[in-house]
Amino acid sequence: MTKQEQCEAQEKTIELLSKAGIILTEEEKKNIEVADFGLNELTKTGLQLITYINTDRYCAKDLVLFPKQTCPEHKHPTIGGKEGKQETFRCRWGKVWLYVEGPSTEKILGYTPKGSEGAYTVFHEIELNPGEQYTIEPNTLHWFQADVDGAVVSEFSSTSHDEFDIFTDPRISRIPEVAE
């Protein structure tokens, strides 16, 4: 991802957060993380996020998905004997489909990104609309996708160690790389 692509995604993120009634400080705006997961297909597979706090006890973030954007399948594993991240997603704006382990939904409303179909293995669908929430237990495979308008989701969790997330797609790199 280029610096210009990152800046454009940050601006779009601020717009969607504003639609959800979420106002950021100037410092928070500068710290919006744009994750393209090393695939260079941000509008299809990616995630924008702002971390408000991440301590050894808890974490709070807002996750922003552009229209039909997918955050790829992953899990938060046990690290050094400490249980992986437990997280609650609360939809603030838009609609998001969350897919977790469990019985597969017969006809899902989302779709796996073209070219990455084999990297998606869980299809138990949970639809989240504004005001609805769902808690994902540690070490649970999950992925999520926004509807046609995009979505804003607040995440409340135990400590986040994103660099240790395990993705089912071996091509993925969690930590963004930005080229000048």
Side-chain angles (χ1 to χ4, degrees):
M1 160 175 49
T2 66
K3 184 70 173 165
Q4 181 178 342
E5 290 169 328
Q6 180 190 40
C7 290
E8 289 170 1
Q10 288 172 324
E11 286 301 316
K12 192 172 177 181
T13 299
I14 292 165
E15 290 172 22
L16 288 176
L17 286 167
S18 181
K19 285 183 179 183
I22 298 170
I23 308 302
L24 299 181
T25 66
E26 290 305 313
E27 187 64 26
E28 289 167 335
K29 289 176 184 177
K30 292 178 197 168
N31 290 323
I32 293 171
E33 180 183 347
V34 179
D36 74 351
F37 300 101
L39 300 177
N40 295 316
E41 52 185 36
L42 184 64
T43 58
K44 184 167 70 169
T45 305
L47 182 67
Q48 295 65 229
L49 55 151
I50 179 72
T51 302
Y52 300 108
I53 189 162
N54 187 22
T55 71
D56 61 350
R57 298 189 59 197
Y58 68 99
C59 179
K61 301 178 183 180
D62 274 322
L63 313 176
V64 176
L65 292 156
F66 297 153
K68 299 303 262 178
Q69 190 180 41
T70 302
C71 178
E73 186 175 282
H74 64 285
K75 64 181 176 177
H76 308 290
T78 298
I79 304 165
K82 189 172 180 181
E83 193 171 46
K85 179 170 76 169
Q86 179 183 46
E87 56 191 337
T88 297
F89 285 177
R90 183 173 180 90
C91 184
R92 299 296 187 179
W93 182 85
K95 180 184 294 189
V96 66
W97 295 297
L98 171 64
Y99 299 93
V100 297
E101 295 175 25
S104 292
T105 300
E106 194 172 314
K107 183 165 176 24
I108 66 170
L109 297 172
Y111 61 91
T112 55
K114 190 171 177 63
S116 299
E117 296 89 349
Y120 292 82
T121 65
V122 297
F123 297 98
H124 181 76
E125 184 177 79
I126 296 143
E127 182 177 298
L128 295 176
N129 293 289
E132 296 175 338
Q133 66 185 42
Y134 183 85
T135 299
I136 303 165
E137 295 302 321
N139 215 30
T140 300
L141 281 171
H142 61 286
W143 60 282
F144 46 100
Q145 183 177 81
D147 196 5
V148 295
D149 294 323
V152 175
V153 176
S154 292
E155 174 192 311
F156 309 99
S157 71
S158 50
T159 304
S160 180
H161 297 286
D162 291 341
E163 66 276 17
F164 294 112
D165 289 353
I166 297 174
F167 289 85
T168 53
D169 186 337
R171 301 173 300 154
I172 287 180
S173 170
R174 172 56 188 88
I175 305 305
E177 292 182 23
V178 180
E180 292 301 319

